[in-house]
Amino acid sequence: MSAVNDTKFQFAVFLLTGILGKEDIYLWIAIPFCLVYVTSIVGNSVILFIIKTDPSLHDPMYIFLSMLAVTDLGLSITTIPTILGIFLFNSREISLDACFAQLFFIHLLQGMESSFLLLMAFDRFIAICNPLRYASILTPPRLVKMGLLCVLRGVAVVLPLPFLLKRFQYCRANVLSHSYCLHQEVMKLACADITVNNIYGLSTALLTMGLDSLLIFLSYVIILKTVLNVASHEECLRALNTCVSHLCAVLLFYIPEIGLSVIHRFGNSSSHLLQFVLGYFYLLVPPLMNPIVYSVKSKHLRARIIRVFTRDLLHKAHSSHIALTLTSIPPQTHGV
């Protein structure tokens, strides 16, 4: 029998790929990735901290935003350390099991983010189209159930992926074209029929992200139709303005996600540069930009963030002033 039949895998590891031809400046390339990583972690952590500690932000819109921030934190933690390992230490090897685990969490968090964006669209739909029933529809217990349902749906859909990949023998190549593992790329390295994986991967993408994006589009069609019927032009603009940050998050997530999925399955070698750009964009930019967009567009959230940081700065300045005053007072002498 051949070596392939004697062992389950011909390769013990996969090799991740950085930026081809730029190996001499990897250290400089790592700097923006470090900045993106730190900014994503700090930005989403601040959003979570502000929402948790401020009772006035315990509305459904901000609860959904905190769910989105959790998934963005997970995406950053799951992907960027692997990327930095390549650019800082030239650590390209990743074991098969670690690769399967990484792609599981990447696809799981991507599916959850899609679900949470749909919930946020539903929140805007109720707030604009049926505001009188907003509080009765989006109750706290119902919010918890909706969040758990999104998580369970993501796990149920993504859990088969690593098991479908683990049954294969990998004997064609072990070099991935990204700095992280994706199902649609790993399956191409198998020396077996990948029809089941291809159909399942495409079907799940269409039934989750495809369905979510369609429902988000339909909700905004109804929202737009509703606000256009508002008599006051000013009220119409005010209602649409509450949707701007969510629309930005939707576009940042779905455009590169759909583009990369199509390129992986139907693209050719001429699309390598586009595949490379979208590959980094769709995982790194949403966790970086979502906190910034929501902080800028939400006056309530922005005011709370400014208040927290200015309060801390004033407290530190006040403490420093007191310490300086105490050190400048001469010691008193006491008579005998």
Side-chain angles (χ1 to χ4, degrees):
M1 291 190 297
S2 65
V4 172
N5 292 328
D6 290 337
T7 58
K8 188 174 182 180
F9 299 106
Q10 182 173 347
F11 300 109
V13 296
F14 288 121
L15 294 179
L16 303 171
T17 302
I19 302 178
L20 298 177
K22 304 295 182 181
E23 290 79 5
D24 54 332
I25 58 171
Y26 267 9
L27 186 60
W28 295 104
I29 296 175
I31 294 176
F33 282 103
C34 288
L35 294 175
V36 168
Y37 187 42
V38 172
T39 306
S40 300
I41 297 295
V42 172
N44 287 289
S45 298
V46 168
I47 293 290
L48 288 172
F49 174 77
I50 296 295
I51 293 175
K52 183 179 185 300
T53 57
D54 193 336
S56 66
L57 295 178
H58 292 175
D59 294 332
M61 180 178 68
Y62 295 106
I63 297 299
F64 291 143
L65 177 58
S66 65
M67 295 179 185
L68 188 68
V70 170
T71 59
D72 285 338
L73 273 175
L75 279 173
S76 298
I77 294 171
T78 303
T79 56
I80 300 184
T82 305
I83 298 172
L84 291 177
I86 296 174
F87 293 127
L88 291 175
F89 310 109
N90 197 28
S91 177
R92 297 181 55 200
E93 293 186 355
I94 183 171
S95 67
L96 300 180
D97 289 335
C99 185
F100 297 154
Q102 185 184 49
L103 68 87
F104 168 78
F105 283 108
I106 288 177
H107 291 294
L108 171 63
L109 292 167
Q110 288 279 295
M112 289 170 55
E113 181 147 353
S114 177
S115 299
F116 294 147
L117 288 173
L118 176 60
L119 292 183
M120 296 171 81
F122 179 68
D123 170 81
R124 292 297 84 205
F125 171 79
I126 299 297
I128 294 175
C129 299
N130 201 352
L132 297 179
R133 297 189 59 197
Y134 182 81
S136 62
I137 293 176
L138 296 178
T139 59
R142 190 165 292 169
L143 296 178
V144 173
K145 293 178 182 178
M146 293 167 72
L148 288 176
L149 183 62
C150 292
V151 174
L152 291 175
R153 186 189 78 157
V155 173
V157 168
V158 178
L159 188 59
L161 294 182
F163 294 101
L164 288 173
L165 292 172
K166 202 172 181 62
R167 66 193 176 95
F168 288 140
Q169 297 169 336
Y170 296 89
C171 56
R172 291 179 181 174
N174 67 334
V175 180
L176 301 172
S177 61
H178 288 301
S179 304
Y180 46 83
C181 296
L182 295 174
H183 168 259
Q184 58 264 38
E185 186 179 5
V186 173
M187 69 178 182
K188 293 180 180 179
L189 303 183
C191 53
D193 185 10
I194 60 172
T195 302
V196 174
N197 287 63
N198 212 351
I199 294 175
Y200 182 79
L202 187 58
S203 300
T204 55
L206 292 175
L207 292 176
T208 54
M209 297 183 187
L211 180 60
D212 291 346
S213 60
L214 177 61
L215 292 175
I216 291 173
F217 174 76
L218 292 177
S219 68
Y220 271 105
V221 169
I222 300 175
I223 288 173
L224 185 61
K225 182 180 178 181
T226 302
V227 297
L228 289 178
N229 291 330
V230 176
S232 171
H233 180 69
E234 183 178 344
E235 291 179 1
C236 177
L237 293 177
R238 189 183 303 116
L240 290 176
N241 189 52
T242 62
C243 303
V244 171
S245 53
H246 178 253
L247 281 173
C248 291
V250 168
L251 294 176
L252 285 173
F253 178 80
Y254 282 109
I255 291 178
E257 170 71 25
I258 295 173
L260 187 64
S261 181
V262 171
I263 289 174
H264 268 300
R265 288 178 171 84
F266 308 109
N268 49 42
S269 57
S270 63
S271 62
H272 177 75
L273 179 60
L274 182 60
Q275 177 179 326
F276 170 82
V277 173
L278 290 177
Y280 282 112
F281 187 94
Y282 97 112
L283 284 180
L284 304 185
V285 174
L288 172 69
M289 294 303 299
N290 285 341
I292 298 174
V293 170
Y294 276 94
S295 299
V296 170
K297 292 301 298 179
S298 174
K299 294 181 180 179
H300 203 176
L301 182 61
R302 184 173 68 249
R304 293 297 184 274
I305 294 174
I306 294 173
R307 188 176 68 181
V308 168
F309 281 98
T310 53
R311 183 178 60 193
D312 291 341
L313 290 175
L314 290 174
H315 178 72
K316 290 179 180 179
H318 183 64
S319 300
S320 300
H321 177 71
I322 293 176
L324 183 62
T325 303
L326 291 175
T327 56
S328 63
I329 298 176
Q332 296 181 354
T333 57
H334 301 276
V336 178

